[in-house]
């Protein structure tokens, strides 16, 4: 039996088609805009699909995000109401997001930008060693991604705080929760890594007030979503010296527009939403299993709670 | 009772004096070249002391390196024969060496140089995600430093190999040993991190033959000693494309001379021997305990085996 599903993404479909064949030979991947008879499509594996596309598939049994976020699905006003939605929590992508945060945090912690500038001038000058046990990193958001990112920092010896909406427990990580605890958490944290889900509650959460609570010269790493940040507030915090630097992988509008001040700001590192791309080899296994589960009416892995929004 | 010891280093002695006072108030730290009556000095805590200095201290009971390496002590032809020597294995410095290797390895793995160049041109372009579980890192040298460095890579999910003179076991790390196993280990390793001790056996071990065994485009990170590397061979391997990049924290002559080709080579990252500086807060505790142990004739922490050379 052939099970036909639709793939929509800007990434090269080749490695995905191969990985799905390896994962489940009965799956047939159609690459948008090719889709044959829309009535034969039973699942959609999508990243930022055109609005209305999902609603045009009458026999859809599963909407599967190609990323951990589903805000791009809820942005579509015509997203079909009765179809279950699943997030993709690829363990490799999650580990990669940790690696990305670790790389940039270590760069700030060890002042690698200074050493890079010194090399350009052939200058040999060591700086006093920083004390990672007394350097605090806060991870905002403690779902599957936040747990892994916080764990990576903790295992490297940093003092690690976590903050989330509801109470969580992670070995070796000092976890706080609820809106009231946010500013106190930021106040202790030299480096803040944002991995929150984007919801009405978390939009604009990283604003002037939040930055003002951080220690002067602190650093922000955003690998969640652009709308978590109030852009003008961030630029002001960087220009005033309140923040020492920001590494941004996500933006309100992607691709980041030419001419946007982030591209050229001396304290901003921009990357093109690459911190945690899913790896076809591991992710296709999970999606294939979810397609089978949806058709059989069984529970899904990482099913989205529509009311909560993630 | 006051116990007088001599400090010799180019680093600011202030934080060390404070840390020694905190660690053991009876210790009196003399900062070279001030040392009062040489006969009253019972221990020397040194980094690259002038040759003959140690021999000029008639009542020396302990020579304590200010780093994990002791080659700088054996370089002194007059180093007193009967005095025990200890290495400084500061847990914070060891963790920092891991962080340094992780930072540069992640930079290579994720091609952060490409993203940095793209930002400079306001270019938004993602690269295919690399697979860290299928990226092999080899750590050469599996003493206290190598174990920690290999463990950090392993815990981040990289396939991690270890290579050492004698057989070692580390959880999750595929350990090999002996001269015969070196080339086969290098042949599997996209990223090689050198933390070997410098001895007659390991000098020049990273040479043209070694580089030729690595996969084309591999990366070298040297946080051990400069003389492990045959410099001309490294430059040739980089220029031919056999190696994709090298991060060098240590050199045959330090500071690295102005005009040395490493400073300006596009594939070489130079840092001023800062990968793992000991932290006074933690290191002074260990040195203070060793001074007490040496005076009491008790076993030392990290005592050097003079025959083995480390």
């Amino acid at each position: 039996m052939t099970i036909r599903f639709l793939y929509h993404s800007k990434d090269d479909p080749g490695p995905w088609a191969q990985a799905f064949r390896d994962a489940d030979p009965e799956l047939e991947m159609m690459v948008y805009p090719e889709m044959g008879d829309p009535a034969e499509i039973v699942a959609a594996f999508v990243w930022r699909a055109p609005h209305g596309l999902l609603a045009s598939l009458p026999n859809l049994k599963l909407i599967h995000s190609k990323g951990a976020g589903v805000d791009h699905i809820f942005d579509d006003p015509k997203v079909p109401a009765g179809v279950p939605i699943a997030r993709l929590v690829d363990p490799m992508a999650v580990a990669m997001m940790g690696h990305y945060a670790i790389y940039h945090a270590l760069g700030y912690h060890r002042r690698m930008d200074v050493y890079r500038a010194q090399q350009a001038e052939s200058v040999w000058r060591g700086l006093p060693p920083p004390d990672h046990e007394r350097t605090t990193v806060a991870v905002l958001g403690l779902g599957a991604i936040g747990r892994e990112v916080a764990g990576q920092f903790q295992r490297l010896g940093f003092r690690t705080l976590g903050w989330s909406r509801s109470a969580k427990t992670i070995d070796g990580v000092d976890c706080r929760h609820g809106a009231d605890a946010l500013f106190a958490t930021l106040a202790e944290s030299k480096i803040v890594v944002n991995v929150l889900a984007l919801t009405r509650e978390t939009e604009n959460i990283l604003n002037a007030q939040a930055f003002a609570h951080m220690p002067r010269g602190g650093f922000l790493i955003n690998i969640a979503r652009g709308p978590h940040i109030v852009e003008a507030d961030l630029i002001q915090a960087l220009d005033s010296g309140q923040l020492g630097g920001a590494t941004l992988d996500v933006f309100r509008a992607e691709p980041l527009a030419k001419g946007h001040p982030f591209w050229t700001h001396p304290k901003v590192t921009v990357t093109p939403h690459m911190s945690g791309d899913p790896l076809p080899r591991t992710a296709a296994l999970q999606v294939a299993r979810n397609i089978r589960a949806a058709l059989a009416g069984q529970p899904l892995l990482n099913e989205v709670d529509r009311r909560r929004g993630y």
Side-chain angles (χ1 to χ4, degrees), chain A:
Chain A
M1 192 186 96
T2 296
I3 300 168
R4 193 175 271 187
F5 73 102
L6 183 65
Y7 171 98
H8 178 280
S9 164
K10 280 185 181 149
D11 291 349
D12 176 9
W16 287 98
Q18 181 61 53
F20 278 108
R21 274 193 297 273
D22 293 346
D24 187 337
E26 292 188 348
L27 292 182
E28 185 186 6
M29 179 172 126
M30 307 297 287
V31 179
Y32 180 86
E34 310 245 331
M35 54 178 159
D37 178 0
E40 288 181 20
I41 303 279
V42 296
F45 179 51
V46 293
W47 181 254
R48 297 188 176 156
H51 292 181
L53 172 62
L54 297 170
S56 75
L57 306 170
N59 292 313
L60 205 58
K61 300 289 181 291
L62 174 66
I63 299 166
H64 209 302
S65 174
K66 193 164 164 282
V70 287
D71 47 296
H72 65 101
I73 291 170
F74 291 127
D75 280 349
D76 178 354
K78 295 191 202 155
V79 61
V83 181
I85 300 173
R87 309 158 59 218
L88 178 60
V89 184
D90 173 40
M92 292 296 285
V94 171
M96 283 170 66
M97 292 178 78
H99 296 172
Y100 179 100
I102 291 287
Y103 174 82
H104 291 98
L106 286 175
Y108 290 135
H109 177 65
R110 299 296 289 273
R111 303 184 63 187
M112 290 299 181
D113 58 327
V114 173
Y115 289 113
R116 211 172 276 129
Q118 288 186 173
Q119 179 177 357
E121 307 282 326
S122 300
V123 169
W124 178 278
R125 186 191 299 130
L127 306 169
D131 187 334
H132 53 272
E133 288 183 349
R134 295 183 177 181
T135 298
T136 301
V137 178
V139 177
L140 310 184
L142 297 175
I145 298 169
R147 297 181 80 84
E148 170 67 18
V149 174
Q152 289 190 13
F153 278 102
Q154 187 270 326
R155 291 191 293 274
L156 288 182
F158 286 87
R159 178 167 180 255
T160 309
L161 308 184
W163 180 81
S164 53
R165 194 177 58 99
S166 57
K168 305 277 169 121
T169 310
I170 305 173
D171 267 0
V173 177
D174 183 352
C175 294
R176 294 90 182 273
H177 70 280
D180 293 349
L182 177 62
F183 288 159
T185 302
L186 294 176
E188 289 181 63
S189 304
K190 186 70 184 282
I191 299 171
V192 172
V193 181
N194 178 39
V195 297
L196 286 164
L198 181 61
T199 65
R200 281 185 302 274
E201 287 76 36
T202 64
E203 189 168 351
N204 299 324
I205 196 169
L206 297 170
N207 53 33
Q209 218 185 343
F211 301 140
H213 279 84
M214 286 178 63
R216 193 167 173 81
F219 301 100
L220 175 67
I221 297 171
N222 188 19
I223 51 177
R225 286 292 180 265
H228 285 127
I229 293 181
V230 179
E231 294 190 351
D233 290 4
L234 175 58
I235 288 175
Q236 200 179 0
L238 291 164
D239 287 344
S240 74
Q242 173 56 20
L243 290 191
T247 293
L248 308 175
D249 187 47
V250 289
F251 304 89
R252 286 183 179 261
E254 297 179 7
L256 186 64
K258 297 261 180 199
H260 192 290
F262 285 157
W263 280 118
T264 51
H265 197 289
K267 289 179 164 179
V268 174
T269 298
V270 170
T271 54
H273 201 144
M274 50 60 79
S275 68
D277 281 331
L279 214 60
R281 167 172 84 79
T282 47
L285 285 171
Q286 189 179 135
V287 178
R289 208 176 308 141
N290 262 350
I291 293 175
R292 290 282 185 179
L295 293 179
Q298 288 165 354
L300 300 176
L301 211 62
N302 304 307
E303 182 163 0
V304 169
D305 176 341
R306 287 192 182 225
R307 275 167 319 155
R308 199 177 58 167
Y310 62 93

